[in-house]
Amino acid sequence: MAESKQKLMEFRPLIEGEQTFESIDQKVADLVLHQKGRYPVNLKSPWYIIMGTAIGIFHLLILSVGWLLYQGIGIWGNNVPTAWAFDIINFVWWIGIGHAGTLISAILLLMRQNWRNSINRFAEAMTIFAVMCAGLYPLLHTGRPWVAYWLFPLPNITGMWPNFRSPLMWDVFAVSTYFTVSALFWFVGLIPDFATMRDRAEKMWIRKLFGLLSMGWRGASRHWHRYEQAYLLLAGLSTPLVLSVHTIVSYDFAVSIVPGWNVTVFPPYFVAGAVFAGFAMVLLLAIPVRKWFGWTEIITDKHIDWMTKIMLATGLIVFYGYILEVFYGWYSGTSVELKLLNFRFSGPYAWAYWSLIFCNGIAIQPLWSQKNRRKEGLIWVICLLVSVGMWLERFVIIPMSLMQNYLPSSDKNYYPTVWDFGMFLGTIGMFFMFMFLFLRFLPVINIFEMKDLLYKTQGEKAATAREKKPATAPSGGE
Amino acid sequence: MAAPVMSDRPGLNLAKLGPLGTIVGLIGAGAAAAVAWSDPKASQSYLFAWFFFGMMSLGFLGFLCLHHTVRGKWGLPVMRIFEAGASPQVLIIMALAFLPVVIPVLSGKSSLYEWSHADVVANDPILQHKAPYLNPVFWTIRFVLFFLIWIGISNFLAKSTAKQDETGEYSNEQRRSQIAPPGLVAFFVTATFAATDWFMSLEPHWYSTIYGVWNVVGAGLMALSVTVLIVTTNKDREPYKGLITPKLTKDLGNLLFALTMLWGYTSLSQYLIIWSGNIPEYTSYFVNRRLEGWQGVGLALILGQFFIPFFALLAPRTKAVASNLAKVAGWILVMRLLDSYYMIMPSFQASSRPTPMPQLWDFVAFIGVGGLWLMGFCLAMKSKKLIPTYDERLFEGDGHGH
């Protein structure tokens, strides 16, 4: 029985292969410190290709934003009644993508799920870059981003005062808090690893750079004690943020009376959708990256399996939301709700609705089988479909609900312009650009938490391996 | 294992409460059901009592599926309580106990559901629109279907753990982990529609898409509170001796805390969205619950079901000490009772429930249906070992946490 158990995913270790503290340092830190050579596999060519493409696309953002600032938001397809379109879709999409990072780093930490250790930093970085992309949209949609500070309740002589009953106002606070806490969380978690980098660096300027970033970390027990306290506190602060940010995003719509928006299940349904999209993006990046960087022993099949399960679970919650929307839309018996349902099912944008059902509802079903959860190619394609599907979901909810009104005479279709697409693609370029810079120049995997996990799981072995190879004193782990 | 606490208390035998439950249940529920036949007020009392115990059983079923899906160590010492609370015995008895509500619907004489009267539907275009779904026959078919699905899931899971206890075959566990996740999905969907059918449709014009989630969370709170009460008050009796550690009570307390927050979250979201939309079709639910003293109950729930347990459970001390956690769990259960009353009764407010004053039949029906539930629970407990022996994790030293 014991042998058959070994084959099962659940009994496989979180760190595979014969690892030691030294090998983990090498795997993660040396990628950054030895830019020339020593790469385990074919890292360089994919990195240059993706980085080059990302920078190329990023220029599209610069161009779109430049033209937008010159001409005004009239260059977008927004109209009346569809005053919210790509700008808000993309905002919600990006914010959602960020959620996996916070969930992995904060909630899984509080739930004592050790498997988060090798993917948390990566996901946290994703959160920060995704929130940066998201923030651009409402900022530019104000039309005059240079006076965006008016959104804050600053004492002033012009009598400008934000409306605290508007969820848009809550958004400003929710998103800026979210960004601040996520960035702090990320940086605090990096400090012990910056120290490792400093200790391993050979060139003086790199040592000084990481020395500055590590803020005088020496690995003293007092440092660790304070670190643990700060980290747990930040995790406690981030946990409600996972729920609150997307809840407030859902209130942007739900507290209005627009048919298709005034839906009570929106808050939990949006939160689940955010985590769903976030995990899809984590997997989309993690699957190729772990191959390129030779990290299949650190980000194991087991990690992929778990993330896929979470993606499936949240995807099913989202699908449950779709069923409720349709069922209660019909059950309401009100003419506007029925009209909207009809518009979704068979209107000019029906293809968007049905593609969304396919991408988010049907395409994830193969993930029920454990066999399929080991096929990386399949998972990658599903994640891509989910990312598209989650974008379509926001398209269906936001402009498609606005196109239909209580007064049929004010119904009007919405058509995006080339600038809408330009800006959307541009932020994708920006996201990948930052992400790949991060992948190349910072420790992507949490070195000291991996050592800690190694010590906990194979205590004896890790200890003896350390005796054999005392070359580099680990600055973390004990 | 932790050193056993010296105690003279005999081993815990939950099944011995069975005869008491049977007698009280048959007399109380029988009397309430008989009176409900002709008295609309008594039938409302009966539905309220059924709501409390019916939803509680569903809460147990949800936890049972959840436990076998995530297979956390925290679930092992309490799994048998989940199994008994959602056992086929309990579910069959609760289904039979619902017949006094179903039969009048089928015969068109229900005083509870407006939509079951053909003449009312004929004059109401909205109800006509809903008639393909809300009609006595389809409604009854769904009632049977829901219970068949629930009994099927619970029967499979309980038999499988019992078998594994006997034979130690790991294949049972694998099979459970294949059935439980789809079971959890089926549970969630059926519970949503069941809540819509049986309770939301009491006010047939009103609807809220979060209603199912909100009810499942409430049901989970009831089931978990009962579980916590059982294990914490019997922690120094066999077979719980040494197993109900501060670590376990912390886990259970955190789960109660999470559900309390979820209840607050779903309740607030529902209220805020309906309040700010302020559309007459959707506000009726809260309008009915703001009149004549009912608003006092609503405020008491905000304070009692959210703020008090929230702050109580925020403190690690509450969760580490079993007797403290028992008090909080008992408090939550009382609040769930009040909330059940608040969710069901104002639906009839216009005709017969102008104020939140409990009436005789409320008590009789509650004790009666509660007795029936206890009867099912004890019947299921009779053939069970309270602690599963198949999973070695239960008897290991503390391996988790940091």
Side-chain angles (χ1 to χ4, degrees), chain A residues 185-197:
Chain A
F185 202 31
W186 187 60
F187 184 75
V188 168
L190 268 165
I191 290 175
D193 282 1
F194 281 144
T196 308
M197 307 292 280

Side-chain angles (χ1 to χ4, degrees), chain A residues 21 192 196 217 219 224 447-449 451-452 466 473-478:
Chain A
F21 285 2
T196 308
W217 181 273
W224 279 114
I447 303 173
F448 77 91
E449 280 190 3
K451 286 182 193 164
D452 185 46
R466 221 167 12 140
S475 40
E478 292 94 325

Side-chain angles (χ1 to χ4, degrees), chain A residues 117-159:
Chain A
N117 287 356
S118 64
I119 48 170
N120 64 342
R121 175 153 317 137
F122 177 78
E124 281 165 29
M126 231 183 65
T127 301
I128 293 169
F129 303 141
V131 175
M132 280 161 64
C133 291
L136 277 180
Y137 288 96
L139 186 72
L140 291 168
H141 193 196
T142 57
R144 291 175 208 156
W146 48 90
V147 290
Y149 65 89
W150 286 358
L151 287 163
F152 290 101
L154 300 168
N156 57 60
I157 53 163
T158 52

